[in-house]
Amino acid sequence: MIKVGIVGAAGYSGSELIKILLNHSETEIVKLFGHSTVGSRIENVHSNLRGIISHEIELFEESKLTGLDIVFVALPSGQSMEIIAKIYNAGIKVIDLGGDFRLDDTTIYKKYYKHEHTAPELLKYAVYGLSEWNSKLIESARLVANPGCYPTSVLLPLLPLIRENILADELISIVSYSGTSGAGKSLSSNMLFSEVNESVRAYKVGTHQHIPEIDKYINDIGKKKASFSFIPHLLPVTRGIYTTIHAKLNSGNNFQTIKNIYSKYYSDKMFIRLSEQNVPELKDVNYTNFCDISWSVLDDDTLVLISAIDNLIKGAAGQAVQNMNIMFGLMQNEGIMKWKLNQ
């Protein structure tokens, strides 16, 4: 059995990790770590776990890592670097669900995340955990940087088309919408129900921390530099990421071209669902590890891509377990989805 620890077990992503791992035939949750909830039992923090698991939440200490095979760190960016360094130096595999190891440039990290990187020596060992694209590197990784929820929803539909060089060298417009759980559990007046209900608002226009992540991996994985705008919005729903992308196609490409490219890259990827007819909806992906993708080509050769994911599952805990499965040579759907799709 794979012995698992979770740092940040009291958060939304921590809760989802626990539920997924409890369904995993090859894992045992051994340690749960927290801060403000230290001393509480996990079922008292997440009441939906009553009668299912009853572990005490402990304060993280290096001495408590003994016997663990892997640790998931589900903390806000800036809070995980010191902890991850201790886990890595103890020889234990680690998956960071935050943003501290997604970028390899500390200057850009400081610009967008607003604090210094305190473990720059580990950046060269971090592997970006976009499961469908980086599985070979993930297999041998000891430190995996789980992608952000927005970048997951952007990169999965875009990367095949960028790799095949069918998009014109014009601005790609990306508009994304997130449920409020993406902001975590920290109290903030602008996240109160009465502030977000019956409203939609853009935020961090031009400054969102996922902008350099999208830029880096379009270039690194897509093998091409691209000009894009990214505008995130907050939806008055709990969970989900909904992304709409507009781009111009190079001459000679059409709907069938897109279909053929997606089939080439994703026909064997069990968590990618392609839709030729139906526009994705959040209700179809919530509580799953799927990314649903659809596409349309307008008369002026404008390509419209739409993707939908659950920000807490495919955008966080589900993809993290998918990456763990890759690291340990297991089927990617183990613990996440009980059936094997016929592709």
Side-chain angles (χ1 to χ4, degrees), residues 154-172:
V154 171
L155 293 172
L156 288 176
L158 263 184
L159 286 177
L161 311 182
I162 289 175
R163 268 280 184 94
E164 294 296 319
N165 198 33
I166 69 164
L167 302 184
D169 293 328
E170 297 184 22
L171 182 72
I172 299 171

Side-chain angles (χ1 to χ4, degrees), residues 1-7 9 17-18 21-22 26-33 41-42 53-58 63-72 92 324:
M1 297 290 281
I2 301 168
K3 307 294 185 182
V4 177
I6 300 173
V7 181
L17 277 169
I18 292 169
L21 291 169
L22 286 171
E26 301 293 333
T27 62
E28 178 187 355
I29 300 173
V30 177
K31 292 286 184 179
L32 299 178
F33 300 106
R41 304 202 75 81
I42 191 63
I53 183 173
S54 182
H55 282 18
E56 182 179 337
I57 300 175
E58 305 176 48
S63 60
K64 297 176 181 178
L65 294 173
T66 302
L68 295 180
D69 298 305
I70 189 168
V71 178
F72 295 90
I92 298 169
M324 181 201 73

Side-chain angles (χ1 to χ4, degrees), residues 2 11 16 22 26 28 37 42 55-56 62 81 99-100 185 187 216 223 230 248 258-259 280 291 304 316-317 332-333:
I2 301 168
E16 298 296 340
L22 286 171
E26 301 293 333
E28 178 187 355
T37 55
I42 191 63
H55 282 18
E56 182 179 337
E62 288 179 80
M81 288 175 278
D100 288 342
K185 295 180 74 172
L187 295 178
K216 174 177 172 56
K223 307 299 183 185
F230 171 69
K248 281 288 187 178
I258 311 301
K259 179 179 179 179
C291 175
V304 179
Q332 289 191 30
N333 64 328

Side-chain angles (χ1 to χ4, degrees), residues 131-149:
S131 307
E132 284 75 16
W133 285 87
N134 251 2
S135 60
K136 291 299 182 184
L137 292 176
I138 295 167
E139 284 176 3
S140 58
R142 284 183 48 211
L143 168 56
V144 169
N146 222 52
C149 49

